[in-house]
Amino acid sequence: MLDVRGLCANYGRIPILSDIDFSAAKGEVVGVLGHNGMGKTTLMRTLIGLVPAVRGRIELDGEDLAPLPPHLRARRGLGYVPQGRQIFPQLSVLDNLRMGAVASRRPEAVVQSVIEDFPALKPLLDRHGGALSGGEQQILALARCLCAEPRLILLDEPTEGIQPSIIDRIEDILLRLRDERRLTIVIVEQNLDFVAALCSRVMIIQKGRILKELAPRELHHAEIMAEFVGTQATEAEEAGP
């Protein structure tokens, strides 16, 4: 499904990602953990094309997406829900979903199908996106992404600033998408319980390199938490240019 080989990316002359290698099978959920400033968000932005790769391959079902701009990667089936959600605050929930389906050959049918998959959005369809709670916005961002009919979704910090009950709901949604649609999902996340519940394996990133891979059961070891997960001061690269 997804096969990343030798991926490198810079901000200006500063190298951020160095020789990233990993893969994700169809229907697999893979996690990415690491301290702030280690390249997690840059990895997501490079995969989707917002940060150009210096070299390397990003293959989706055998096609190298690295030379393509973001909108063509999306048309090939690569979806992205960024950190901070970035919904359209002045548009209604329904119009946010329509924006997600704008490139579809059957936009209204796709939107209605996604609404059925996200019943929590039904009473909110006429409400402006900016009037939603953080958790509701995250669910909307995920639903909008699905309106583009992706085969693989990149999620950047989906639980950030969200109350536990909504986190549980998002976890249930992602598990259902994995099982029913066989969606492949790559998640950057700091919530260890969330990662452990969803992911078949977890990659640890340090200084722009994949350092090791862990099984979910290893995530709650105290030494793992101390060494690889935390809230260090965010470096400029993590927010992007």
Side-chain angles (χ1 to χ4, degrees):
M1 182 63 171
L2 178 68
D3 193 24
V4 178
R5 291 289 171 254
L7 188 64
C8 299
N10 298 349
Y11 283 145
R13 297 183 179 180
I14 302 173
I16 303 298
L17 300 180
S18 302
D19 295 319
I20 296 287
D21 293 322
F22 77 95
S23 61
K26 184 176 178 61
E28 185 178 21
V29 183
V30 177
V32 181
L33 284 175
H35 287 293
N36 290 338
M38 291 297 171
K40 303 185 303 297
T41 289
T42 300
L43 174 59
M44 297 289 104
R45 290 167 61 85
T46 304
L47 293 175
I48 198 62
L50 297 174
V51 174
V54 175
R55 64 176 181 271
R57 297 179 65 83
I58 304 168
E59 293 189 2
L60 187 63
D61 286 335
E63 180 184 7
D64 185 15
L65 304 185
L68 302 181
H71 71 281
L72 291 182
R73 298 187 195 194
R75 290 182 183 178
R76 297 299 196 275
L78 194 59
Y80 179 47
V81 181
Q83 188 176 18
R85 300 175 279 277
Q86 296 181 12
I87 63 165
F88 299 103
Q90 299 304 318
L91 296 183
S92 68
V93 168
L94 181 57
D95 284 341
N96 265 275
L97 297 176
R98 285 171 172 160
M99 288 296 292
V102 69
S104 174
R105 295 179 180 179
R106 49 190 190 96
E108 288 302 320
V110 168
V111 167
Q112 291 305 314
S113 175
V114 169
I115 289 171
E116 291 303 316
D117 281 340
F118 289 79
L121 294 179
K122 286 185 177 181
L124 306 175
L125 293 176
D126 294 329
R127 191 175 302 180
H128 283 173
L132 304 182
S133 69
E136 290 168 339
Q137 288 184 6
Q138 185 65 64
I139 292 173
L140 172 58
L142 179 57
R144 184 184 63 183
C145 177
L146 288 173
C147 285
E149 301 180 284
R151 291 177 286 157
L152 183 150
I153 295 178
L154 307 172
L155 294 176
D156 194 357
E157 302 282 3
T159 73
E160 184 179 46
I162 296 177
Q163 65 190 49
S165 62
I166 302 296
I167 292 174
D168 290 342
R169 188 181 302 175
I170 292 172
E171 181 182 309
D172 290 341
I173 290 170
L174 294 176
L175 287 171
R176 176 166 48 82
L177 292 173
R178 180 198 67 185
D179 295 341
E180 294 181 2
R181 298 195 183 193
R182 295 205 67 205
L183 273 177
T184 304
I185 304 171
V186 179
I187 301 177
V188 164
E189 183 54 71
Q190 298 278 25
N191 184 320
L192 297 186
D193 289 333
F194 186 80
V195 171
L198 288 168
C199 298
S200 60
R201 52 198 172 88
V202 180
M203 300 178 298
I204 303 298
I205 191 169
Q206 274 196 348
K207 297 182 180 179
R209 295 178 180 270
I210 301 296
L211 188 66
K212 63 170 64 178
E213 192 174 284
L214 302 174
R217 65 179 181 276
E218 299 178 85
L219 294 181
H220 292 289
H221 293 178
E223 62 271 20
I224 295 294
M225 294 180 65
E227 186 174 0
F228 300 121
V229 183
T231 53
Q232 303 295 320
T234 303
E235 297 179 11
E237 71 84 15
E238 196 67 18

